[in-house]
Amino acid sequence: MFENLAEKLQNTFANLKRRGKLTEKDVDLALKEVRLALLEADVNYKVVKKFTERVRERAIGEEVLKSLTPAQQVVKIVYDELTILMGGTTAQLNLSHSPSVIMLVGLQGAGKTTTAGKLAKNIKERGRRPLLVACDIYRPAAIKQLQVVGGQVEVEVFSQENQKPVGIADAALKYANKNGFDVVIIDTAGRLHIDEELMQELIDIKSAVEPQEILFIADAMTGQDAVNVADSFNKNLEISGVVLTKMDGDARGGAALSIREVVGKPIKFVSFGEKLDSLEPFHPDRMASRILGMGDLNTILEKAQKAIDEKEAAAMVQKITTDDFNLEDFYEQMQQMKKMGPLDQLLGMVPGMNKLKGQANFETAEKEMKQIEAIINSMTPNERRKPAIIDASRKKRIANGAGVRVQDVNKLLKQFNETKKLMRQFGGLGGKGKRKMGMPFFN
Amino acid sequence: MGFFNKLVSGLTKTRDNLVNQIKSVLSGKKISEELFEELEEILIVADVGVASTMEIMDNVRERCKTEKAKDGEDVEKILKEEIRDLLGDKEELVPPNTKPWVIMVVGVNGVGKTTTIGKLAAKFSNEGKKVVLAAGDTFRAAAAEQLEIWAKRADAQLISQKEGSDPAAVAYDAIQAAKSRKADVLIIDTAGRLHTKSNLMDELKKMYRVVNREMPDAPHDVLLVIDATTGQNGLSQAKVFKEATEVNGIALTKLDGTAKGGIVVAIKSELGIPVKLIGVGEGIDDLQTFDPDQFIDALFGE
């Protein structure tokens, strides 16, 4: 019952694929499931209605009937419409002014302060000089929290005691001008969209500092009410974009679709965790393919590129295509994989692995990884290079050294040989093979 | 403002939408498939969820037939009864026979755990109980400071360690301190964590184990805090947190917004966890005991 939207649609279309040619009835049946899946994913009721009508219009008719693989075409239509719904192309942050002013607004607990820290880090990495401004004078220790976060990303935090938020924002802007800060990030207190007094405060801050960006921070776990909240903030403040937080959970994230459709403003960032470098640009196409269970290959590729030294990778491919691939190389690969981030995050982005994400035991996988490391560490260099020489007595020694059973060593060697076989098949695929390295080990 | 008025005013905004919708749907209407579909829409928009909504509506349809419902009002009565059945009886936080009464508060990030603890501590203090708070969120920046301010407001004692220390050690210290100071209540705060992070859930299990080891019948209550704006993910949260820490009650926060918190209906019906407390505002006394009758009456505007 905790299937996510991606899985649900995947199942829907898996059925369609088996049915061959599409009829109007098939499309309706599929859309009924799409509709349910979207509702379960917390997409707003009205947005779902609009969306399914749009897909139906496009799906039924010539286009589909002429196609050789009708099911694929429906998948594509759903994907296209989802992409359109979420904003077409990636939206950039407007940092053209000096200082550029960014205001963060939203409900309590959406993740504004954490996002402020992440944004500061992100902007700093672009070579700009951000200043964080603490305007949440209400929540106990909120200013302290921003100061700690600011310290972690090494960005100065501006705060004033016994001042109203409007005064603080105003003073911060002057301070930024004087001291050469070229981006000002204003963290505001969380508030209910129906709290008129506090909404007025935001309106006052807005007119005092004239921000280029007003980012609405939204929790990816939000339900049907997301549209009311976003709409209300937008009507009062004319927001410029949205940041979707807590995307590292298993929330289906339908709020993303709802908010985008209702306020018509782009989602500019998605935030994946509590670490301050987990802010990523929002790519509607990636999100759509993620929703459809096609996986978020682009993101994983980017991560891989960051983590893996290109020369090393090229050398590795060379090795794989020849017969030289040995346990030393495999060990290397595992280290590189580890650099890419926690397994569960990575797997969520791989096509077909979404299913795993829900139930799979990453603990087991990570433990297994550690065990493999220990086993390889207990081998002599020669054994790593030529696994074939590992006989019974060597196995016993290795097992003792690694604190595992001989069966575990056997298992590793068997898996290694299978992987090696598989790798050779991938060899011909070039780039694609690179990405999949190592994965067959985690069965 | 009186206790009841506060509850009603807290729920008023929540219910306004629903009430208006329900009235406009039901008043003077004949029973038709369209009517049922409109009711379905209202439940879904309240975040009750597709599965629970289907279940409720199937029963309503069935009963409308057997009980020969005549009009919209009959349907409303049946619908209310069905939701009432799912929500079950009123369940409150009940102190155990032993002292200290240990309450652990868990949940995902940003739902209002610390604020709920502050309010709860104030409530107990007002009742003349000696309250100790444990700053078990050693992860988030300034979380302990936040709890410290609440502890002062609520006249409670705070047990904390420095940021980054082991939360299980904080729990251990807190149990010892609560025992030696002869406290009536110990409330343990925990860091917000997404239920999908197995290492963080393990950390929580460890806290639970340590508490249980130091005091065999503790924690007596584990409250899962759920934000009323939460959608269907609330079910997943409740399921995983229940597996990890024997959650036996829900505190439903932020009901003073426009969100309806309907996910608690699904959580009760699927997992059997009752709502025990509701948060209806940011004031120190804005925490109420959850009363299903009032909740439904408020939802349906009576």
Side-chain angles (χ1 to χ4, degrees):
Chain A
M1 67 176 279
F2 295 116
E3 273 179 319
N4 64 29
L5 177 57
E7 287 157 12
K8 192 86 191 178
L9 289 181
Q10 217 168 13
N11 291 345
T12 304
F13 292 118
N15 290 339
L16 270 186
K17 272 170 199 157
R18 281 196 294 275
R19 299 178 66 133
K21 220 170 191 180
L22 275 178
T23 64
E24 190 168 324
K25 210 175 138 198
D26 286 333
V27 172
D28 281 340
L29 191 73
L31 287 183
K32 199 181 157 201
E33 286 195 51
V34 169
R35 182 177 162 268
L36 286 180
L38 291 173
L39 285 176
E40 276 176 11
D42 292 322
V43 181
N44 182 265
Y45 191 87
K46 291 200 172 71
V47 177
V48 171
K49 251 188 172 167
K50 253 177 149 174
F51 177 76
T52 45
E53 270 161 27
R54 213 146 56 192
V55 172
R56 191 174 188 276
E57 256 171 50
R58 275 192 63 183
I60 295 175
E62 238 180 319
E63 251 186 305
V64 172
L65 296 174
K66 271 184 185 168
S67 167
L68 283 173
T69 53
Q72 280 170 354
Q73 210 160 11
V74 177
V75 174
K76 193 185 176 306
I77 293 168
V78 172
Y79 168 81
D80 285 348
E81 290 297 327
L82 274 177
T83 308
I84 292 167
L85 186 69
M86 288 185 294
T89 51
T90 304
Q92 300 297 326
L93 207 55
N94 177 5
L95 296 174
S96 58
H97 288 60
S98 189
S100 295
V101 181
I102 303 170
M103 234 174 113
L104 305 183
V105 301
L107 294 177
Q108 293 94 336
K112 284 177 296 304
T113 305
T114 306
T115 303
K118 292 181 181 183
L119 205 53
K121 186 172 192 293
N122 176 294
I123 286 167
K124 203 176 138 195
E125 278 165 3
R126 304 179 191 205
R128 303 290 292 260
R129 209 169 156 239
L131 175 71
L132 284 163
V133 184
C135 278
D136 181 357
I137 58 168
Y138 306 102
R139 181 165 62 89
I143 294 173
K144 173 84 201 234
Q145 188 189 349
L146 190 66
Q147 281 165 346
V148 174
V149 166
Q152 283 166 357
V153 296
E154 293 173 347
V155 169
E156 190 175 328
V157 177
F158 183 91
S159 66
Q160 279 184 335
E161 281 186 31
N162 303 320
Q163 291 290 322
K164 296 264 182 230
V166 182
I168 298 171
D170 202 33
L173 199 57
K174 290 193 180 93
Y175 181 84
N177 271 319
K178 216 187 218 169
N179 295 282
F181 291 96
D182 57 9
V183 181
V184 176
I185 303 167
I186 301 175
D187 182 27
T188 66
R191 65 203 73 213
L192 285 174
H193 52 296
I194 49 171
D195 187 329
E196 284 171 20
E197 199 180 312
L198 284 180
M199 285 310 282
Q200 186 58 46
E201 180 192 281
L202 286 182
I203 295 168
D204 292 344
I205 296 176
K206 181 187 175 183
S207 44
V209 299
E210 295 176 354
Q212 283 70 51
E213 292 274 1
I214 299 179
L215 298 178
F216 172 66
I217 315 297
D219 186 327
M221 297 181 276
T222 315
Q224 298 283 324
D225 202 39
V227 290
N228 298 328
V229 179
D231 191 41
S232 179
F233 270 93
N234 188 43
K235 277 191 178 131
N236 277 298
L237 296 162
E238 184 70 27
I239 63 171
S240 62
V242 178
V243 180
L244 205 62
T245 62
K246 307 180 200 174
M247 285 280 287
D248 46 333
D250 59 353
R252 303 165 199 183
L257 315 188
S258 304
I259 295 171
R260 184 60 181 84
E261 177 78 0
V262 169
V263 302
K265 299 291 162 55
I267 295 165
K268 296 202 169 176
F269 293 98
V270 279
S271 169
F272 277 93
E274 292 183 86
K275 286 196 183 126
L276 292 168
D277 56 0
S278 60
L279 191 71
E280 288 170 21
F282 178 73
H283 298 282
D285 48 342
R286 291 182 191 179
M287 183 82 176
S289 61
R290 200 178 153 128
I291 285 167
L292 289 173
M294 296 177 202
D296 189 354
L297 273 182
N298 289 324
T299 303
I300 201 173
L301 257 183
E302 270 176 16
K303 281 196 184 215
Q305 270 160 6
K306 262 193 213 163
I308 296 174
D309 186 288
E310 293 229 346
K311 263 189 201 161
E312 276 177 37
M316 192 68 78
V317 171
Q318 177 67 32
K319 282 208 150 169
I320 290 165
T321 47
T322 63
D323 220 2
D324 289 346
F325 187 68
N326 61 35
L327 278 165
E328 234 168 26
D329 303 320
F330 179 70
Y331 188 80
E332 274 294 296
Q333 252 184 57
M334 265 178 38
Q335 299 312 314
Q336 288 181 341
M337 241 185 84
K338 272 164 83 181
K339 277 193 250 169
M340 287 162 65
L343 266 182
D344 57 341
Q345 264 190 38
L346 285 175
L347 283 189
M349 299 175 190
V350 179
M353 291 288 184
N354 251 334
K355 269 219 167 75
L356 258 176
K357 210 186 165 195
Q359 21 155 307
N361 213 329
F362 291 101
E363 252 171 300
T364 317
E366 308 233 354
K367 258 185 206 154
E368 215 172 292
M369 214 156 144
K370 271 195 194 134
Q371 198 184 60
I372 292 169
E373 267 179 17
I375 295 174
I376 298 177
N377 275 330
S378 300
M379 294 176 181
T380 65
N382 211 24
E383 285 165 349
R384 282 178 222 152
R385 274 171 226 139
K386 291 178 200 148
I389 65 166
I390 302 175
D391 55 18
S393 86
R394 282 177 191 261
K395 277 178 193 166
K396 211 170 164 191
R397 195 204 74 244
I398 293 166
N400 277 335
V404 299
R405 297 164 305 171
V406 173
Q407 295 101 285
D408 296 322
V409 179
N410 279 332
K411 197 175 145 203
L412 168 70
L413 291 172
K414 195 177 159 223
Q415 283 176 326
F416 169 74
N417 284 326
E418 275 165 13
T419 307
K420 201 168 158 180
K421 248 186 259 165
L422 212 67
M423 289 288 177
R424 277 213 300 277
Q425 290 167 11
F426 276 132
L429 298 173
K432 258 187 184 165
K434 249 192 285 178
R435 255 181 270 143
K436 300 204 173 175
M437 289 190 308
M439 297 311 269
F441 253 78
F442 304 103
N443 48 12
Chain B
M1 202 186 272
F3 191 84
F4 182 77
N5 283 342
K6 195 94 191 186
L7 168 72
V8 172
S9 78
L11 287 173
T12 302
K13 292 160 199 153
T14 301
R15 83 184 182 208
D16 271 352
N17 278 321
L18 250 184
V19 172
N20 294 339
Q21 286 181 40
I22 294 241
K23 285 234 162 107
S24 67
V25 168
L26 296 174
S27 55
K29 279 210 177 175
K30 286 257 158 59
I31 297 174
S32 65
E33 193 45 35
E34 199 190 16
L35 176 79
F36 288 127
E37 272 170 27
E38 283 174 72
L39 288 173
E40 250 170 41
E41 175 180 346
I42 289 167
L43 293 180
I44 295 239
V45 169
D47 286 320
V48 171
V50 174
S52 293
T53 298
M54 296 300 179
E55 193 189 323
I56 292 168
M57 291 311 297
D58 281 351
N59 291 344
V60 170
R61 280 194 175 92
E62 188 67 34
R63 281 185 57 189
C64 282
K65 257 185 232 158
T66 55
E67 292 168 29
K68 302 197 167 59
K70 288 186 195 71
D71 54 19
E73 271 166 50
D74 287 352
V75 181
E76 179 187 337
K77 192 170 156 279
I78 291 171
L79 179 58
K80 276 169 71 173
E81 282 170 10
E82 284 299 320
I83 299 175
R84 181 67 182 71
D85 268 5
L86 283 182
L87 281 175
D89 288 334
K90 177 175 176 171
E91 291 194 48
E92 291 181 66
L93 279 178
V94 181
N97 295 325
T98 49
K99 277 180 190 176
W101 177 8
V102 182
I103 302 170
M104 233 173 120
V105 180
V106 301
V108 299
N109 316 66
V111 287
K113 281 179 298 300
T114 308
T115 307
T116 300
I117 289 170
K119 293 178 188 172
L120 200 56
K123 179 179 169 284
F124 288 139
S125 275
N126 285 339
E127 292 167 6
K129 293 190 172 83
K130 186 172 182 181
V131 184
V132 173
L133 302 182
D137 181 357
T138 56
F139 179 79
R140 186 174 59 91
E145 281 89 342
Q146 188 184 347
L147 192 65
E148 190 181 355
I149 293 167
W150 276 109
K152 278 189 191 133
R153 284 183 191 170
D155 198 21
Q157 297 178 29
L158 181 78
I159 303 296
S160 68
Q161 291 184 5
K162 64 176 195 303
E163 207 171 293
S165 50
D166 182 357
V170 176
Y172 176 86
D173 276 3
I175 292 263
Q176 304 310 330
K179 278 183 185 168
S180 68
R181 296 177 194 181
K182 300 201 169 20
D184 296 301
V185 189
L186 166 65
I187 311 176
I188 303 172
D189 191 12
T190 64
R193 67 200 73 219
L194 291 179
H195 50 291
T196 49
K197 310 253 162 166
S198 62
N199 55 333
L200 294 181
M201 293 311 288
D202 283 348
E203 181 193 89
L204 197 63
K205 284 180 203 164
K206 186 179 163 198
M207 279 179 90
Y208 184 92
R209 276 199 310 272
V210 167
V211 170
N212 189 251
R213 191 187 65 208
E214 295 309 309
M215 198 176 163
D217 53 340
H220 307 92
D221 285 284
V222 180
L223 277 178
L224 172 68
V225 183
I226 296 230
D227 181 330
T229 59
T230 308
Q232 296 314 296
N233 193 246
L235 256 179
S236 181
Q237 293 170 23
K239 185 170 183 272
V240 181
F241 273 100
K242 189 186 177 196
E243 277 164 14
T245 59
E246 310 281 334
V247 170
N248 66 349
I250 283 171
L252 183 63
T253 59
K254 307 185 196 174
L255 262 181
D256 47 335
T258 49
K260 291 136 197 156
I263 189 64
V264 297
V265 177
I267 292 174
K268 180 66 171 69
S269 110
E270 307 254 353
L271 301 166
I273 310 171
V275 183
K276 291 188 176 169
L277 297 166
I278 57 169
V280 293
E282 289 192 274
I284 198 157
D285 54 352
D286 286 336
L287 188 73
Q288 320 282 347
T289 298
F290 177 76
D291 181 328
D293 286 322
Q294 280 181 355
F295 185 74
I296 293 169
D297 282 348
L299 287 182
F300 288 86
E302 275 168 21

